[in-house]
C-alpha cells in the first residue's frame, strides 16, 4: 500500500513537472505571460521539477530492476518445474515398466504429436505406434491420451513440484 502511494506521488510530481516545463515554454513562445515571476520563484520551480524528474528516473530504474529479478525467479521456477516434470515422467515410465520404444512414444504423445507424426519420427508404421500407445495406456491404467495427460497435469498442479520461495 505504501509503495502504491509513493508511486502515485512520484507520478503526480512528474506530471506537475512536465506541465510546468511545457506551459513555461508555450507561454514564452505565445507571449501569454503578462507578469513575470521572480527569478527566485522560477529557480525553485525548476529545481522542484528537476527533482521530480530525477525521482521518476530512480523509480523507473528500481521498477525495472525488480521486474528483471522477478522474471529471473519465474524463469528459475519454470526450469525447476520442467526438470521436476521430466523426473516425474521418468519415474512414472519406470513404474509402468515401459520399454524404451514405449517411453519414446509416450513422450511424443504427451507432447501432443499425432500417431502419424510419431510413426514418421520413429520410422515405424502407424500400426506399431497404435499398438505401443495401447500398451502404454494399459500399463498406466488409463483408457486414452486425455487420461494419460491428466495424470501428469494433476502432478503439475500439485505444489510439491516447486520449491518454497
Amino acid at each position: 500500500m505504501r509503495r502504491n502511494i509513493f508511486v502515485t506521488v512520484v507520478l503526480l510530481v512528474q506530471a506537475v513537472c512536465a506541465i510546468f516545463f511545457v506551459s513555461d515554454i508555450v507561454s514564452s513562445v505565445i507571449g501569454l505571460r503578462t507578469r513575470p515571476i521572480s527569478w527566485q520563484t522560477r529557480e525553485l520551480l525548476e529545481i522542484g521539477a528537476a527533482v521530480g524528474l530525477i525521482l521518476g528516473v530512480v523509480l523507473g530504474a528500481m521498477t525495472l530492476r525488480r521486474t528483471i529479478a522477478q522474471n529471473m525467479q519465474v524463469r528459475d521456477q519454470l526450469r525447476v518445474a520442467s526438470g521436476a516434470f521430466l523426473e516425474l515422467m521418468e519415474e512414472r515410465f519406470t513404474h509402468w515398466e515401459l520399454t524404451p520404444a514405449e517411453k519414446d512414444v509416450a513422450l511424443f504423445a504427451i507432447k501432443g504429436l499425432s500417431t502419424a507424426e510419431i510413426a514418421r519420427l520413429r520410422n515405424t508404421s502407424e500400426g506399431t505406434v497404435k499398438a505401443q500407445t495401447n500398451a502404454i495406456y494399459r500399463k498406466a491404467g488409463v483408457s486414452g491420451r486425455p487420461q494419460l495427460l491428466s495424470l501428469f497435469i494433476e502432478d503439475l498442479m500439485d505444489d510439491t513440484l516447486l520449491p518454497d520461495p
Side-chain angles (χ1 to χ4, degrees):
M1 182 69 173
R2 289 178 67 193
R3 177 168 163 60
N4 289 341
I5 292 172
F6 177 71
V7 169
T8 303
V9 168
V10 169
L11 289 175
L12 185 62
V13 168
Q14 280 194 311
V16 169
C17 295
I19 290 170
F20 167 74
F21 282 126
V22 170
S23 65
D24 186 50
I25 291 170
V26 169
S27 66
S28 294
V29 169
I30 297 177
L32 292 178
R33 191 175 296 139
T34 56
R35 196 179 96 205
I37 58 174
S38 70
W39 67 269
Q40 293 96 346
T41 304
R42 181 175 185 78
E43 292 295 319
L44 287 175
L45 287 172
E46 287 179 359
I47 289 171
V51 167
L53 294 175
I54 290 170
L55 281 175
V57 168
V58 169
L59 180 65
M62 289 171 40
T63 303
L64 180 61
R65 184 173 181 227
R66 184 176 297 116
T67 300
I68 289 170
Q70 287 174 343
N71 187 12
M72 290 174 61
Q73 181 183 10
V74 167
R75 198 176 305 152
D76 289 343
Q77 288 175 335
L78 182 60
R79 190 176 306 120
V80 167
S82 177
F85 183 67
L86 289 174
E87 288 176 24
L88 176 69
M89 280 195 317
E90 281 300 320
E91 287 174 14
R92 290 276 179 125
F93 292 170
T94 302
H95 177 73
W96 296 333
E97 298 177 351
L98 299 183
T99 66
E102 290 170 344
K103 287 180 182 180
D104 288 345
V105 171
L107 181 61
F108 289 140
I110 290 169
K111 286 184 174 184
L113 276 68
S114 69
T115 302
E117 291 169 326
I118 296 170
R120 197 170 36 254
L121 284 172
R122 301 206 68 248
N123 293 322
T124 60
S125 70
E126 287 186 41
T128 302
V129 173
K130 286 179 184 178
Q132 290 168 328
T133 54
N134 285 331
I136 293 164
Y137 300 153
R138 180 179 39 78
K139 291 177 180 181
V142 297
S143 62
R145 190 181 294 203
Q147 285 184 340
L148 180 67
L149 288 172
S150 73
L151 290 176
F152 294 103
I153 290 171
E154 286 173 10
D155 287 331
L156 276 178
M157 292 170 52
D158 186 7
D159 289 340
T160 60
L161 280 183
L162 292 177
D164 293 329

